[in-house]
Amino acid sequence: MEFTTPGIWSGTNRSARILREINNNNRISLRIRAKFKEVNQLTTLFLTNQLANYSQQQSHSHSHSEPEEKLFKILQKTFQDIYYLLDIEDFKFNKLSTIDLKKLHSYYSQLNEVEFNLDLSVADVNDELTINATTLQLINYYVLLTSTLKLSNSVIYKTLELKNQYVYWSDIKSSNFNKLIYLIQSLPYKLYIFGKNVIEHLEIHPTNDTTHSLTNYDKQGTEEDNDIYFSWIRIKKSISRFYEAISKTFGRSFTINNPSFSLSKISAVRSNTRYYLDWIKFIWKYPINLINNDLNEKLSKISKQIEENTGKIDLLIKTNLNDKESTLEALESISLNNQSQSIDNEFSTKPDIQRLNDILINIIRFDSINYYETEIPSPLSRYWPIILATLVYGPSQSIKLYSNREEIIDWLKFNLIDTVTGFFKNWVIKPINDLLNTLRSDDTLSITTKESLKSDLDSLERMIIEFAQDETSNPPDAQQIHEAIQNGDLTLVMNQYESQIKTPVKSLLKGNLIRSILIQIQKTKVDGGYAINGIDKILKSQQLVFGFVSITPSLFILYQFWSYLSSTKPIFVNGKQVNIICLKSLNNIESLLVLINNQVQHTSSSDEQFTEYDKQISKNYEGQLLIEIINLIVVADLIIPKALKSDWINDLNELNNNDFDITTKLQLVRKIWNMYGHYFR
């Protein structure tokens, strides 16, 4: 479980961005946008033609009664306020997500001051409707469309909040380690609830004052002894009651979280050993069972609320915006249902103005609903162990850190700064400079000097010439000796050496044997020089390769480090990888399309086969599909590249296109898998 929980939070910039995404990318808002365009065109025609002509007639006529004047002024004032609130002149649909419904309600409630007996049926402004009726019709349309949009956005947003909560709690449930963390995080709240239950038990089961009267007590005792005795009795009874309350409260909680414990108690008479073993097992499993029951209860509530919200969204999807009456009934059904009220026939008989006012009030109330029972714990609840440890050990550890600051700085400098600096200087910069020097010039690596071998060879040649002159009666000439030495031939010296070792003592005393040995040592030195010279030539020919080899480890380390920093890592939201959430959402979208297709086939083939149970199960498929699409748009924003974002949103919005049949939408899903599946794997 992640300690950080990015996601949907009320009152944040992220929430405003998500609201804009919802406002611009769903079937309901797209239909409302098209309807707004129609009403805006009617408004433009009305303002440029009829209202202008009516104003000119008003300037030359004074025959209107006072009620008509009041009606006209209120209508125009309300229309003007709503016109500027919605910014119809420079209308931008995405701004509607930030419209203040309270302000809209305050403007629209001005119409409650007068009574209207006007024909409010849908008609073009060129028909023979009065100016007041047309103005009121436009006002009602703007309020109705704005209310529908705000309600749909609110329901969708709250459903996304619930899905966000569901991801968080299901992630905790998926791991025992996460459950342990959650148990520690929720421990203060659970202890508070436990203490509250104990106090309630004490209040529900009071005990009578058992203080004995002095008449029933030994009257021979002193008054001080009697007071001490009665005080002790009261304390003893209070402790007994408190212990009993704790025992019963804990026992009830223990039994609820371990239902099989009741069976163990029944069988305790038969086997006391088995009873105690069961006690140990139940106590061991009690914390996990407690957390599991808590998580199951939260997930059940979230699932139920999501199902209820998807039903509302499904109703809004199927609402005909061209039929004002059906739209009003749908809004009343959803908004009044949020207040746990039933819809009577009297609502349909109310005037449209009063019905819209009630709808606005209920939508404002619905916006303020928060799911406190299932919401993600606050930062204080999640981090209280860290905060407590910081408060307890922070001051003392801070003092220790300050007093040892020089040692800490030296340690960091030696182990971190010097290590990194030495790595770059000795294993990156220096090898690169050496490699560049090799490429720029001929100052190559050498393990011997150029003249060392020549001097050793000349010395050997002189030694052999002198040896031949001293030891042989007919020495060869210098040219023959030179050629023999160049070919490594020491036959002359070896012949003398072979004859000398026959009489080693005599030759040793005369010094001839030692001279032969020293010449051979010089020959060995020359041979070593030849070998070193060969190695030197090999090194010189492969020096560029050695330069690359020496720099390869450091470059490999830098490459791996840069790859780690620049590579795309799994993004986590509420403890879940975003790509996994997207994969599940895409899978749900495809499954819902298959279910909708199956529903359509059953309905078209045989209405009898499509049972009431099937209808009950499948009635929210459209709402679930819309929620999954919007949730996928919001979550995938973290991993879809910006260059593909517009195409991604357009492809998903095509799944909301009513012009496409289910088969086409399934093909679109496959296209989405092929095009964007790489980013989710």
Side-chain angles (χ1 to χ4, degrees):
M1 181 184 66
E2 294 295 312
F3 278 90
T4 56
T5 56
I8 299 176
W9 300 96
S10 301
T12 63
N13 293 329
R14 179 171 174 78
S15 300
R17 183 186 64 79
I18 292 173
L19 275 174
R20 288 194 297 270
E21 294 284 355
I22 295 171
N23 190 75
N24 297 326
N25 299 294
N26 68 80
R27 290 173 63 177
I28 303 170
S29 64
L30 293 176
R31 289 163 51 203
I32 294 174
R33 176 186 291 181
K35 201 65 184 174
F36 258 107
K37 290 182 179 179
E38 295 179 10
V39 180
N40 287 345
Q41 291 175 356
L42 295 176
T43 302
T44 303
L45 291 174
F46 174 68
L47 293 176
T48 55
N49 295 329
Q50 286 187 269
L51 191 59
N53 296 334
Y54 184 77
S55 300
Q56 292 178 359
Q57 294 175 5
Q58 287 289 94
S59 61
H60 298 289
S61 174
H62 304 283
S63 58
H64 298 284
S65 62
E66 182 177 349
E68 291 178 348
E69 283 290 332
K70 181 179 180 182
L71 173 63
F72 178 78
K73 289 181 180 179
I74 291 177
L75 280 173
Q76 296 308 312
K77 177 66 167 57
T78 305
F79 181 72
Q80 182 180 8
D81 291 338
I82 295 176
Y83 183 89
Y84 288 117
L85 178 64
L86 302 180
D87 197 10
I88 303 301
E89 188 169 348
D90 187 22
F91 182 76
K92 293 182 179 178
F93 186 74
N94 57 356
K95 290 184 178 180
L96 290 179
S97 61
T98 59
I99 292 296
D100 187 359
L101 275 185
K102 293 182 179 179
K103 188 175 292 186
L104 179 63
H105 175 257
S106 66
Y107 293 156
Y108 189 68
S109 61
Q110 298 174 125
L111 300 181
N112 291 329
E113 299 179 9
V114 293
E115 295 182 359
F116 299 94
N117 295 313
L118 304 171
D119 183 10
L120 303 180
S121 60
V122 179
D124 188 78
V125 294
N126 293 324
D127 293 342
E128 295 180 355
L129 292 173
T130 63
I131 295 296
N132 290 341
T134 305
T135 304
L136 182 58
Q137 177 179 296
L138 291 174
I139 293 173
N140 285 343
Y141 262 120
Y142 279 124
V143 174
L144 181 64
L145 292 175
T146 306
S147 301
T148 306
L149 180 66
K150 295 291 287 187
L151 180 59
S152 65
N153 288 350
S154 183
V155 175
I156 293 171
Y157 183 82
K158 290 187 179 298
T159 307
L160 293 181
E161 279 187 311
L162 290 168
K163 290 181 75 67
N164 190 53
Q165 293 176 4
Y166 192 90
V167 169
Y168 181 84
W169 296 118
S170 61
D171 179 64
I172 296 177
K173 189 179 178 181
S174 64
S175 169
N176 288 333
F177 178 72
N178 292 347
K179 292 176 185 177
L180 177 62
I181 294 177
Y182 175 65
L183 176 63
I184 296 173
Q185 291 175 339
S186 60
L187 188 60
Y189 178 74
K190 293 189 180 301
L191 290 176
Y192 166 75
I193 296 298
F194 181 80
K196 187 177 179 181
N197 292 335
V198 171
I199 294 174
E200 289 178 355
H201 185 275
L202 291 173
E203 293 176 351
I204 294 174
H205 303 283
T207 57
N208 296 326
D209 189 4
T210 58
T211 305
H212 298 285
S213 62
L214 288 174
T215 59
N216 297 326
Y217 185 66
D218 186 4
K219 296 182 180 180
Q220 296 179 357
T222 63
E223 183 177 356
E224 183 179 357
D225 292 336
N226 292 336
D227 291 339
I228 293 174
Y229 175 77
F230 288 125
S231 299
W232 165 246
I233 292 296
R234 292 189 188 97
I235 293 173
K236 185 178 179 181
K237 290 294 182 181
S238 298
I239 293 174
S240 177
R241 286 180 57 203
F242 191 69
Y243 174 78
E244 180 184 0
I246 292 177
S247 178
K248 289 185 177 180
T249 303
F250 179 76
R252 183 173 181 274
S253 174
F254 191 83
T255 305
I256 290 174
N257 292 282
N258 298 280
S260 59
F261 179 68
S262 300
L263 298 176
S264 178
K265 291 174 68 177
I266 294 174
S267 61
V269 179
R270 299 180 180 178
S271 175
N272 290 331
T273 305
R274 174 67 181 273
Y275 177 70
Y276 290 119
L277 290 176
D278 288 343
W279 252 103
I280 295 173
K281 181 182 71 174
F282 291 140
I283 291 174
W284 175 261
K285 294 173 61 178
Y286 175 71
I288 296 296
N289 291 339
L290 179 65
I291 295 302
N292 283 336
N293 292 337
D294 189 12
L295 295 176
N296 289 333
E297 183 181 358
K298 290 180 183 296
L299 292 174
S300 177
K301 289 180 180 179
I302 293 173
S303 299
K304 184 178 180 181
Q305 191 62 50
I306 288 177
E307 184 179 357
E308 181 181 338
N309 286 359
T310 51
K312 298 171 185 176
I313 296 169
D314 191 78
L315 180 59
L316 286 172
I317 291 173
K318 297 173 181 177
T319 300
N320 184 10
L321 293 178
N322 294 321
D323 186 354
K324 183 180 65 177
E325 184 61 31
S326 67
T327 306
L328 282 171
E329 290 178 357
L331 293 180
E332 287 174 339
S333 174
I334 295 172
S335 60
L336 291 175
N337 179 260
N338 293 328
Q339 305 301 321
S340 300
Q341 300 177 13
S342 60
I343 303 174
D344 299 326
N345 293 329
E346 61 174 310
F347 289 119
S348 60
T349 61
K350 290 182 180 180
D352 288 350
I353 296 175
Q354 185 176 350
R355 295 172 72 184
L356 281 172
N357 269 313
D358 293 340
I359 289 170
L360 283 172
I361 292 173
N362 289 326
I363 294 175
I364 292 171
R365 289 174 180 172
F366 179 71
D367 280 338
S368 62
I369 292 177
N370 290 310
Y371 305 110
Y372 292 113
E373 294 182 356
T374 58
E375 69 178 357
I376 297 172
S378 64
L380 180 61
S381 300
R382 297 199 305 273
Y383 301 129
W384 74 264
I386 299 175
I387 295 173
L388 181 62
T390 303
L391 293 176
V392 173
Y393 299 104
S396 60
Q397 295 301 319
S398 299
I399 294 173
K400 289 182 180 179
L401 288 174
Y402 181 77
S403 59
N404 297 316
R405 63 188 183 280
E406 294 182 357
E407 289 80 358
I408 295 173
I409 292 173
D410 291 338
W411 185 88
L412 291 174
K413 183 177 181 300
F414 178 77
N415 290 280
L416 183 62
I417 299 176
D418 290 348
T419 301
V420 174
T421 304
F423 171 76
F424 275 95
K425 284 184 178 180
N426 300 324
W427 296 100
V428 178
I429 298 175
K430 188 177 181 298
I432 290 176
N433 287 333
D434 293 340
L435 186 63
L436 294 176
N437 290 332
T438 302
L439 295 173
R440 281 194 295 262
S441 62
D442 194 25
D443 294 335
T444 55
L445 177 67
S446 180
I447 59 177
T448 182
T449 59
K450 294 180 180 180
E451 302 298 330
S452 61
L453 180 60
K454 186 177 183 303
S455 62
D456 291 341
L457 190 61
D458 292 342
S459 175
L460 178 62
E461 186 177 348
R462 288 193 298 270
M463 291 169 64
I464 293 175
I465 291 172
E466 292 176 358
F467 179 82
Q469 292 174 354
D470 295 340
E471 298 296 331
T472 60
S473 57
N474 187 19
D477 57 7
Q479 183 63 30
Q480 291 177 345
I481 295 175
H482 174 74
E483 291 177 359
I485 292 173
Q486 291 295 329
N487 295 325
D489 184 9
L490 292 181
T491 304
L492 176 64
V493 177
M494 296 307 296
N495 290 335
Q496 294 296 325
Y497 176 72
E498 290 172 0
S499 62
Q500 290 170 0
I501 60 174
K502 292 178 181 179
T503 56
V505 176
K506 179 181 177 181
S507 299
L508 185 62
L509 293 175
K510 291 175 63 176
N512 295 335
L513 181 60
I514 294 175
R515 187 176 184 185
S516 298
I517 293 173
L518 291 175
I519 290 174
Q520 293 181 61
I521 292 174
Q522 180 66 19
K523 174 64 169 58
T524 304
K525 182 180 178 183
V526 170
D527 291 340
Y530 271 112
I532 293 174
N533 186 54
I535 296 172
D536 191 51
K537 290 180 179 179
I538 294 174
L539 290 176
K540 290 178 179 179
S541 64
Q542 301 297 322
Q543 187 170 358
L544 193 61
V545 176
F546 293 145
F548 276 111
V549 171
S550 65
I551 200 175
T552 298
S554 57
L555 292 180
F556 178 76
I557 293 173
L558 291 176
Y559 172 76
Q560 291 295 328
F561 183 70
W562 175 254
S563 298
Y564 175 78
L565 295 178
S566 60
S567 62
T568 55
K569 304 173 191 62
I571 302 174
F572 286 85
V573 173
N574 301 322
K576 285 287 187 180
Q577 285 183 226
V578 172
N579 58 337
I580 294 178
I581 298 175
C582 293
L583 286 172
K584 288 185 177 181
S585 187
L586 267 174
N587 182 63
N588 292 339
I589 288 172
E590 190 167 8
S591 300
L592 287 169
L593 288 172
V594 172
L595 291 173
I596 293 172
N597 186 39
N598 185 52
Q599 173 186 352
V600 172
Q601 290 178 356
H602 274 72
T603 306
S604 59
S605 61
S606 175
D607 291 337
E608 296 179 357
Q609 294 179 3
F610 196 64
T611 63
E612 289 297 327
Y613 177 77
D614 294 328
K615 294 177 182 178
Q616 185 70 19
I617 295 299
S618 62
K619 65 178 182 179
N620 295 337
Y621 284 162
E622 294 285 347
Q624 294 178 37
L625 178 63
L626 181 62
I627 286 295
E628 289 293 344
I629 291 173
I630 296 174
N631 185 59
L632 185 56
I633 291 175
V634 171
V635 177
D637 183 67
L638 298 170
I639 57 178
I640 295 294
K642 291 183 179 180
L644 296 176
K645 184 178 178 181
S646 59
D647 296 333
W648 162 253
I649 293 176
N650 290 335
D651 289 339
L652 287 179
N653 282 334
E654 291 299 325
L655 299 175
N656 283 326
N657 194 339
N658 290 329
D659 297 335
F660 297 155
D661 57 10
I662 301 299
T663 304
T664 305
K665 291 182 179 180
L666 286 172
Q667 292 176 353
L668 285 172
V669 171
R670 294 187 184 94
K671 172 195 171 184
I672 291 172
W673 276 111
N674 295 331
M675 178 68 183
Y676 307 100
H678 168 73
Y679 299 104
F680 305 141
R681 293 186 174 92

